[in-house]
């Protein structure tokens, strides 16, 4: 549409967002974004009010990861904008599509240290995929169009649109473009078929091949292709933590996540493998341990949409650049053409299955009634498979990695890159907005939940019923575990006491609070929460001394796991 | 290895900051930098020289290429490229012969002499960084009062 219409910048922003299909935004008003807020009353976009801008960004992030459409968050200038930065950086670290719209002081005041002025473009530059600051109202429609395109295509990421107040209020002849050009942005590359062919040959000629599926597999929804390849070539599948659930974790070929707190069997098999098909992963230090040790003993086939990931952390023998789903589709097609389908169990697969069975049987678990494994397996048992789970950051997150099996691919989300405490609950709210018909559960720890617990107000007032599942050890559990392990039990700054009372806290916000002190109570609590139509907090007191094990200490390799004694 | 990178960017405010910040945040160093508009005012060209092994240089090229404001990034082959840096040296004159000696030295390196005073002389030299370094070594015994060097500007030879 190239129709010219005269209107204010703020109105053009809303119209441009409506054209992008935006149905709701998460945000908090302030002086510098009031003209935009004034327009919410006159458009079809729902505004969901938060209590802190960081949560607005996490909600938009959760919405974006589930819907694959950019979630939108709003903040005012100055502190509003700086508050939202953590959420933006989190989305960048995990390649989540997001549009953050901040208010800014009027153009003439920029650079004069005006009230609530911050150079948010300068501050955000390292943690955004791109940042815009339109200086005239007429630029807004094209900026929005480009912003959504950049946020959602290629390797997705957050885009900041910082709009000075006078740009919001000025009127201009608006053109809403359908086409535009961004000279230096090439989000798509066609995967090289020859390299895919070479990858197949390398996998066929390896004795101990393995698939490592990363977050990119989930972002591109390459689930069916991944499964087809694993089954045709009979390859065991491990995931990074961000790739958890890219492959059904109840599948016989699934070994679960590798890494610092990966499954023992996944780490063992990854450490024994001689060739890895790595899909949509940056080979994070948390996943592979020391970079040198990892690449020294492995042939690496690396598929990624981002060419800059090839060779960044690991040297690949074969690289396939392009959307990983497109690359895997080519591989599936070539396997069909060449009629490659392994039917006989290889000695490697036999060994993999035996190792997996051994660790399923022999991993020592906490003896208490409310040990983490038992709690999370109970949650898994009672949650429908299509339920969406988010996590906070800490011990509970890693216990979820170990003991909560994702059955339906693409239903598990966590802050894996930046490791942002307080991410899970607001992200769960965003996820629930994206998929209101499935249960959404935030697996939390008391430390992380405390950081954004005021989002209970949003969940209640905006009628977004999510479940918060707190494994409550009254401490900053992961830090406490490191202090026990590496700092000779000098426990500093980790004891949170029994404060607050999360049941009362939930109730004070108008949510439902339930304490579960036995497996029977937990069973009932989960069932109650699932059948409720209000936000529910389930508080589960656990042993503060319980560690997350296995554990690969930082700076060591996957074969050096600390196991429960 | 020493690498010359030629980066065509959109001619917009803030791009220099983004490019230089990328070097800092990715743990690379800039050896020299020069920026100027091109024949097309929509674009600027940055020439950045840096040090790194092959993998590091490949990675910085990829990271620069990924930036939305960069239109083209090239790692120029030093042997197929004309590259020059402009330098100005203010050199001390201690005795009557110094001026003549410095003039000879400047001539040998294709430099020009400016601002001759009783106690100092300024030499302008446009050359490769190596040549400028060599000139500096030879000028040192006279006493260098001040130096200003631009970054390298580079263009690949035709047909290279």
């Amino acid at each position: 549409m190239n129709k010219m219409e005269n209107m204010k910048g703020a109105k053009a922003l809303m119209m441009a967002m409506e054209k992008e299909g935006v149905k709701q935004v998460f945000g908090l008003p302030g002086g510098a974004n009031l003209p935009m807020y004034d327009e919410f009353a006159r458009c079809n976009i729902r505004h969901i009010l938060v209590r802190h801008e960081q949560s607005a960004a996490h909600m938009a992030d959760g919405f974006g990861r589930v819907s694959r459409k950019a979630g939108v968050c709003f903040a005012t200038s100055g502190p509003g904008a700086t508050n939202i930065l953590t959420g933006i950086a989190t989305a960048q670290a995990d390649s989540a599509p997001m549009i953050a719209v901040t208010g800014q002081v009027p153009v003439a005041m920029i650079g004069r240290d005006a009230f609530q002025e911050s150079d948010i473009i300068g501050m955000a530059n390292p943690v955004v995929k791109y940042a815009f600051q339109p200086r005239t109202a007429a630029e807004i429609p094209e900026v929005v169009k480009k912003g959504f395109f950049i946020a959602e295509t290629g390797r997705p990421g957050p885009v900041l649109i910082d709009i000075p107040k006078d740009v919001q209020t000025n009127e201009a002849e608006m053109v809403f473009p359908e086409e535009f050009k961004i000279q230096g942005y090439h989000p798509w590359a066609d995967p090289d078929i020859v390299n895919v062919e070479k990858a197949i040959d390398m996998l066929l000629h390896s004795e101990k091949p393995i698939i490592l599926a990363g977050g990119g597999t989930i972002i591109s929804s390459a689930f069916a292709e991944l499964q087809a390849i694993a089954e045709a070539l009979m390859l065991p599948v491990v995931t990074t933590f961000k790739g958890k659930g890219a492959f059904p974790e109840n599948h016989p070929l699934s070994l679960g996540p590798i890494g610092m707190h990966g499954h023992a069997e996944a780490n063992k098999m990854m450490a024994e493998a001689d060739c890895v098909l790595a899909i949509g992963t940056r080979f994070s230090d948390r996943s592979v341990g020391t970079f040198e040790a990892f690449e020294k003993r492995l042939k690496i086939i690396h598929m990624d949409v981002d060419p800059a990931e090839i060779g960044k952390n690991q040297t690949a023998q074969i690289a396939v650049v392009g959307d990983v789903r497109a690359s895997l589709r080519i591989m599936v097609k070539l396997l069909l053409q060449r009629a490659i389908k392994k039917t006989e169990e290889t000695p490697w697969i036999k060994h993999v299955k035996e190792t997996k069975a051994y660790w399923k049987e022999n991993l020592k678990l906490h003896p208490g009634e409310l040990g983490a494994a038992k709690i999370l397996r109970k949650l898994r048992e009672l949650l429908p498979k299509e339920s969406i789970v988010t996590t906070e950051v800490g011990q509970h997150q890693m216990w979820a990695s170990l003991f909560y099996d994702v059955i339906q691919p693409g239903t598990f989300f966590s802050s894996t890159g930046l490791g942002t405490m307080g991410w899970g609950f607001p992200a769960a709210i965003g996820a629930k907005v994206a998929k209101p018909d499935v249960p959404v559960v935030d697996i939390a720890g008391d430390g992380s939940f405390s950081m954004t617990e005021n989002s209970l107000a949003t969940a209640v007032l905006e009628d977004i019923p999510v479940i918060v599942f707190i494994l409550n050890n009254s401490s900053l559990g992961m830090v406490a575990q490191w202090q026990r392990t590496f700092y000779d039990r000098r426990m500093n700054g980790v004891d949170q006491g029994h404060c607050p009372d999360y049941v009362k806290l939930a109730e004070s916000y108008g949510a439902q609070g339930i304490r579960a002190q036995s497996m029977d109570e937990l069973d009932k609590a989960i069932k109650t929460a699932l059948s409720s139509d209000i936000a529910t907090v389930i508080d589960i007191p656990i042993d503060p001394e319980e560690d997350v094990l296995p554990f690969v200490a930082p700076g060591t390799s996957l074969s050096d796991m600390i196991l429960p004694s | 290895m020493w690498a010359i990178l030629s980066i065509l960017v959109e001619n917009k405010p803030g791009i220099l900051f983004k490019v230089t910040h990328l070097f800092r945040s990715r743990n690379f160093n800039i050896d020299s930098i020069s920026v100027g508009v091109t024949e097309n005012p929509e674009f600027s060209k940055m020439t950045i020289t840096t040090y790194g092994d092959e993998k590091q240089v490949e990675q910085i090229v990829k990271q620069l290429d990924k930036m939305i404001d960069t239109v083209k990034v090239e790692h120029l082959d030093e042997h197929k490229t004309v590259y020059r840096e402009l330098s100005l040296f203010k050199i001390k004159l201690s005795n009557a012969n110094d001026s003549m000696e410095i003039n000879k030295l400047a001539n040998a390196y294709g430099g020009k002499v400016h601002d001759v005073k009783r106690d100092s002389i300024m030499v302008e030299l446009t050359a490769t960084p190596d040549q400028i370094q060599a000139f500096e070594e030879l000028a040192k015994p006279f006493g260098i009062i001040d130096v200003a060097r631009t970054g390298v500007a580079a263009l690949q030879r035709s047909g290279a």
Side-chain angles (χ1 to χ4, degrees):
Chain A
M1 186 177 86
N2 274 321
K3 211 170 103 191
M4 301 274 275
E5 278 185 72
N6 198 56
M7 69 180 77
K8 284 182 182 172
K11 187 178 180 190
L13 173 76
M14 298 302 163
M15 282 186 68
M17 289 202 303
E18 282 178 334
K19 286 175 196 296
E20 294 300 320
V22 175
K23 299 278 187 290
Q24 68 288 307
V25 304
F26 307 91
L28 194 75
N33 64 3
L34 270 175
M36 299 190 268
Y37 269 76
D38 198 39
E39 292 296 330
F40 280 122
R42 290 188 286 277
C43 70
N44 293 316
I45 295 172
R46 174 188 179 195
H47 177 263
I48 295 170
L49 177 65
V50 300
R51 296 298 165 100
H52 189 284
E53 291 88 350
Q54 179 183 345
S55 295
H58 294 334
M59 287 176 199
D61 183 343
F63 176 89
R65 292 192 204 200
V66 169
S67 68
R68 307 307 327 146
K69 297 283 297 170
V72 182
C73 49
F74 270 60
T76 189
S77 64
T82 54
N83 278 348
I84 216 166
L85 264 182
T86 299
I88 292 174
T90 306
Q92 172 80 345
D94 283 343
S95 309
M98 177 193 288
I99 299 283
V101 182
T102 47
Q104 182 55 277
V105 300
V107 172
M109 298 300 286
I110 292 176
R112 297 184 175 205
D113 299 330
F115 174 67
Q116 291 195 331
E117 180 191 358
S118 66
D119 174 18
I120 196 64
I121 295 283
M123 284 186 238
N125 179 57
V127 292
V128 291
K129 191 168 171 190
Y130 201 71
F132 294 95
Q133 190 183 61
R135 292 292 182 105
T136 63
E139 293 172 54
I140 287 177
E142 186 167 323
V143 158
V144 173
K145 186 93 185 157
K146 284 181 175 173
F148 275 84
F149 180 71
I150 291 170
E152 291 172 353
T153 53
R155 182 179 186 168
V159 169
L160 172 69
I161 304 177
D162 185 46
I163 313 181
K165 193 169 183 180
D166 50 341
V167 175
Q168 300 167 41
T169 51
N170 288 346
E171 289 201 4
E173 289 284 318
M174 299 292 177
V175 180
F176 292 86
E178 279 179 5
E179 288 179 3
F180 55 85
K181 197 168 80 174
I182 307 172
Q183 290 266 8
Y185 184 54
H186 312 288
W188 295 288
D190 288 330
D192 186 334
I193 297 171
V194 175
N195 284 354
V196 179
E197 188 94 51
K198 282 185 193 163
I200 293 173
D201 290 334
M202 188 177 267
L203 290 166
L204 286 172
H205 290 105
S206 300
E207 279 179 33
K208 298 171 180 176
I210 198 163
I211 292 178
L212 170 62
T217 325
I218 292 172
I219 289 172
S220 73
S221 302
F223 311 124
E225 293 80 2
L226 171 63
Q227 194 166 334
I229 289 160
E231 288 171 357
L233 291 170
M234 218 179 275
L235 299 170
V237 180
V238 297
T239 65
T240 64
F241 181 50
K242 182 155 186 252
K244 181 178 169 68
F247 189 71
E249 294 192 296
N250 59 350
H251 192 287
L253 289 168
S254 168
L255 290 166
I258 57 164
M260 185 173 272
H261 294 296
H263 289 188
E265 57 269 33
N267 282 341
K268 289 270 182 199
M269 294 299 91
M270 190 72 233
E272 285 186 30
D274 61 358
C275 175
V276 61
L277 169 60
I279 306 164
T281 173
R282 69 175 193 278
F283 298 98
S284 148
D285 52 302
R286 282 293 194 269
S287 294
V288 304
T290 55
F291 294 145
E292 295 74 18
F294 190 84
E295 71 180 19
K296 203 174 268 180
R297 44 168 207 87
L298 267 171
K299 286 177 286 180
I300 296 175
I301 303 159
H302 192 180
M303 291 181 168
D304 208 289
V305 71
D306 182 355
E309 283 307 328
I310 309 293
K312 186 178 87 182
N313 290 346
Q314 298 289 299
T315 308
Q317 275 71 39
I318 299 171
V320 182
V321 175
D323 172 59
V324 294
R325 189 178 189 188
S327 303
L328 293 177
R329 277 187 172 174
I330 293 170
M331 191 175 259
V332 171
K333 208 171 148 192
L334 291 172
L335 290 173
L336 283 171
Q337 274 173 12
R338 290 169 62 178
I340 298 169
K341 178 140 183 76
K342 289 196 178 177
T343 48
E344 274 186 37
E345 203 163 88
T346 59
W348 166 238
I349 281 295
K350 196 164 171 286
H351 175 54
V352 164
K353 286 184 176 171
E354 283 167 3
T355 307
K356 182 176 168 180
Y358 174 83
W359 285 106
K360 288 274 174 240
E361 193 68 31
N362 290 301
L363 187 70
K364 282 193 183 154
L365 301 174
H366 189 276
E369 185 181 359
L370 288 176
K374 289 170 202 157
I375 292 170
L376 289 163
R377 284 175 181 161
K378 171 60 75 180
L379 180 68
R380 173 68 285 176
E381 178 196 321
L382 296 180
L383 279 192
K385 71 176 182 359
E386 68 276 15
S387 305
I388 290 169
V389 163
T390 63
T391 82
E392 302 289 347
V393 171
Q395 280 187 308
H396 63 278
Q397 180 190 31
M398 295 304 141
W399 283 320
S401 165
L402 288 166
F403 306 122
Y404 179 86
D405 285 345
V406 180
I407 311 300
Q408 183 163 306
T411 56
F412 181 90
F413 302 95
S414 190
S415 169
T416 61
L418 202 67
T420 308
M421 290 175 70
W423 180 85
F425 176 38
I429 291 174
K432 184 75 179 173
V433 171
K435 275 203 176 170
D437 298 332
V438 303
V440 178
V441 179
D442 169 38
I443 297 175
D446 49 304
S448 274
F449 180 61
S450 292
M451 290 199 176
T452 52
E453 66 192 17
N454 58 15
S455 289
L456 276 168
T458 305
V460 171
L461 293 173
E462 298 283 347
D463 195 18
I464 306 166
V466 298
I467 300 165
V468 182
F469 195 79
I470 308 176
L471 280 74
N472 187 348
N473 52 15
S474 303
S475 67
L476 300 173
M478 189 57 92
V479 182
Q481 178 172 337
W482 283 47
Q483 290 181 342
R484 282 194 293 273
T485 312
F486 301 121
Y487 296 89
D488 203 20
R489 290 193 70 90
R490 290 187 295 277
M491 314 300 287
N492 294 316
V494 289
D495 186 2
Q496 304 219 115
H498 292 283
C499 184
D501 178 329
Y502 289 104
V503 171
K504 286 182 183 163
L505 178 90
E507 287 167 355
S508 75
Y509 276 105
Q512 178 174 224
I514 308 171
R515 182 160 295 115
Q517 290 175 296
S518 66
M519 284 311 279
D520 276 350
E521 287 179 6
L522 183 63
D523 190 287
K524 280 183 208 146
I526 297 170
K527 286 174 181 163
T528 303
L530 283 171
S531 60
S532 299
D533 54 7
I534 58 167
T536 303
V537 175
I538 304 174
D539 182 43
I540 312 152
I542 62 165
D543 175 5
E545 294 275 324
E546 181 172 0
D547 283 339
V548 183
L549 292 169
F551 178 23
V552 177
T556 62
S557 72
L558 294 181
S559 48
D560 303 323
M561 263 185 295
I562 301 169
L563 291 160
S565 53
Chain B
M1 80 179 164
W2 185 68
I4 311 170
L5 309 179
S6 176
I7 308 154
L8 191 68
V9 297
E10 297 209 27
N11 186 10
K12 289 195 288 198
I15 311 289
L16 178 63
F17 161 72
K18 287 191 199 178
V19 169
T20 52
H21 185 271
L22 177 73
F23 274 78
R24 195 205 63 77
S25 66
R26 293 283 174 190
N27 203 18
F28 296 100
N29 270 325
I30 290 175
D31 174 47
S32 83
I33 184 166
S34 70
V35 193
V37 290
T38 63
E39 76 292 353
N40 180 346
E42 272 184 48
F43 303 118
S44 295
K45 183 172 277 179
M46 294 184 191
T47 309
I48 295 181
T49 63
T50 183
Y51 287 94
D53 63 28
E54 206 175 316
K55 270 178 77 171
Q56 288 168 327
V57 173
E58 184 188 319
Q59 181 57 212
I60 197 70
V61 168
K62 284 177 175 173
Q63 293 292 346
L64 285 165
D65 211 19
K66 182 169 150 180
M67 283 182 62
I68 288 167
D69 294 309
T70 58
V71 177
K72 194 176 179 188
V73 183
E74 288 176 289
H75 175 195
L76 301 179
D77 181 340
E78 186 182 333
H79 304 292
K80 297 174 181 169
T81 299
V82 176
Y83 58 97
R84 295 289 182 271
E85 180 179 315
L86 169 70
S87 57
L88 296 169
F89 287 87
K90 195 186 284 179
I91 303 165
K92 200 169 163 186
L93 297 178
S94 307
N95 59 55
N97 284 337
D98 281 0
S99 174
M100 199 173 65
E101 292 295 321
I102 291 166
N103 254 300
K104 273 197 218 163
L105 191 60
N107 282 336
Y109 280 83
K112 280 184 200 166
V113 168
H114 300 278
D115 196 37
V116 184
K117 295 275 164 60
R118 185 203 296 258
D119 55 356
S120 75
I121 187 168
M122 193 185 292
V123 176
E124 172 200 328
L125 187 60
T126 303
T128 65
D130 279 357
Q131 288 165 329
I132 292 170
Q133 203 61 45
F135 176 86
E136 186 175 331
E137 291 302 317
L138 293 169
K140 249 182 206 166
F142 296 99
I144 295 174
I145 300 166
D146 209 352
V147 184
R149 291 170 71 162
T150 66
V152 166
L155 274 185
Q156 196 151 296
R157 295 175 200 275
S158 297

